[in-house]
Amino acid sequence: MANVPATGAAALAVVLIGAALFGMANGNLRLAGFSFLCASLTIYLRESYLLDA
C-alpha cells in the first residue's frame, strides 16, 4: 500500500522547487531562497520520519 504522507511530502517538495525556480527566473531571490530552504526541510522530514525504516 502507498505511503500517502510520504508521497504528499514528495509532491510538496516538487512544488516548492518549482516555486524556487520561478522566483529565480523573476529575480525574486527571497522567494527562491525560502522555497529552497522549505523544500530541503520537507525532504529531510520525509526521509527521517515518513518513510518506513
Side-chain angles (χ1 to χ4, degrees):
M1 183 165 184
N3 190 347
V4 176
T7 304
L12 177 62
V14 169
V15 169
L16 287 169
I17 291 173
L21 293 175
F22 178 77
M24 286 175 49
N26 288 329
N28 190 350
L29 298 181
R30 185 172 296 180
L31 171 67
F34 187 69
S35 296
F36 276 128
L37 176 66
C38 290
S40 65
L41 288 174
T42 302
I43 292 168
Y44 169 75
L45 291 174
R46 177 184 185 268
E47 295 295 324
S48 297
Y49 299 110
L50 296 177
L51 292 179
D52 294 328

